Amino acid sequence: LYSYTVITVNASQCMNWLHDRMPAILDGDEAIQKWLNFGEVPTQEALQLIRPIENIAFHPVSTIVNNSRNNTPECIIPIEVGVKKEPKLSASSRKMFDWLQGKSPKKKELNCPGLQSFSTNTPKKTSAGLMQQWLKKEEGECCAKKLKPN
């Protein structure tokens, strides 16, 4: 069974604005060798190796690192903070975006004699339009019922 442990220490001066803890970082090859050769190095000397270090470099990266399934070079590429990047849209996303912006394509009128029975002037099928049609239908049925002799 292989396992590992992340040892944390108090944050260094350059990192405490971000968090109060940080991973212990072994500084240099000598520190790494001492830590790995734990049988030859006294415990107190080994414990002195795990302390906050100041000589650390960092930069902002994409939020792609927030998903543990992402393991690509994009995870470590520096980004500019505050610069809004326009996403690349696929063809279907572009159509949806245009539709949401009210730029839907106009329907073309067909010049087909066989399709003249379909009226292009039908009311829009909105909830209000459907309610109007239903009310007119109900009104017509009520009038027809009243006119029927008993």
Side-chain angles (χ1 to χ4, degrees):
L1 173 69
Y2 293 100
S3 68
Y4 68 93
T5 301
V6 176
I7 300 172
T8 61
V9 295
N10 290 331
S12 64
Q13 291 293 322
C14 69
M15 294 300 291
N16 66 2
W17 63 272
L18 180 62
H19 199 275
D20 64 333
R21 306 286 296 165
M22 69 181 280
I25 300 170
L26 298 172
D27 193 16
D29 289 338
E30 184 180 341
I32 293 170
Q33 288 307 314
K34 283 183 179 180
W35 185 261
L36 293 176
N37 295 326
F38 56 89
E40 299 173 14
V41 177
T43 304
Q44 290 304 316
E45 189 178 335
L47 289 175
Q48 294 298 314
L49 299 172
I50 54 171
R51 58 183 173 18
I53 62 168
E54 296 294 332
N55 60 343
I56 187 169
F58 53 90
H59 56 264
V61 293
S62 166
T63 55
I64 196 169
V65 302
N66 295 343
N67 186 333
S68 61
R69 288 177 275 173
N70 295 330
N71 188 15
T72 64
E74 189 178 357
C75 292
I76 61 171
I77 295 173
I79 62 164
E80 289 185 46
V81 178
V83 175
K84 190 171 183 177
K85 185 178 178 183
E86 287 295 321
K88 292 180 181 177
L89 298 177
S90 65
S92 60
S93 295
R94 170 55 62 196
K95 283 185 180 183
M96 180 59 81
F97 182 75
D98 289 344
W99 179 78
L100 290 171
Q101 297 297 319
K103 300 175 187 172
S104 62
K106 302 293 180 204
K107 292 182 180 176
K108 295 179 182 177
E109 292 289 328
L110 294 176
N111 189 13
C112 249
L115 295 176
Q116 289 180 357
S117 62
F118 296 104
S119 172
T120 56
N121 296 327
T122 57
K124 289 187 176 182
K125 293 199 178 194
T126 62
S127 56
L130 292 172
M131 181 62 84
Q132 289 286 347
Q133 289 175 353
W134 182 76
L135 289 172
K136 286 180 184 178
K137 182 179 175 184
E138 288 288 313
E139 189 176 284
E141 287 176 5
C142 287
C143 294
K145 288 178 184 177
K146 287 180 186 176
L147 295 175
K148 285 184 181 178
N150 290 342

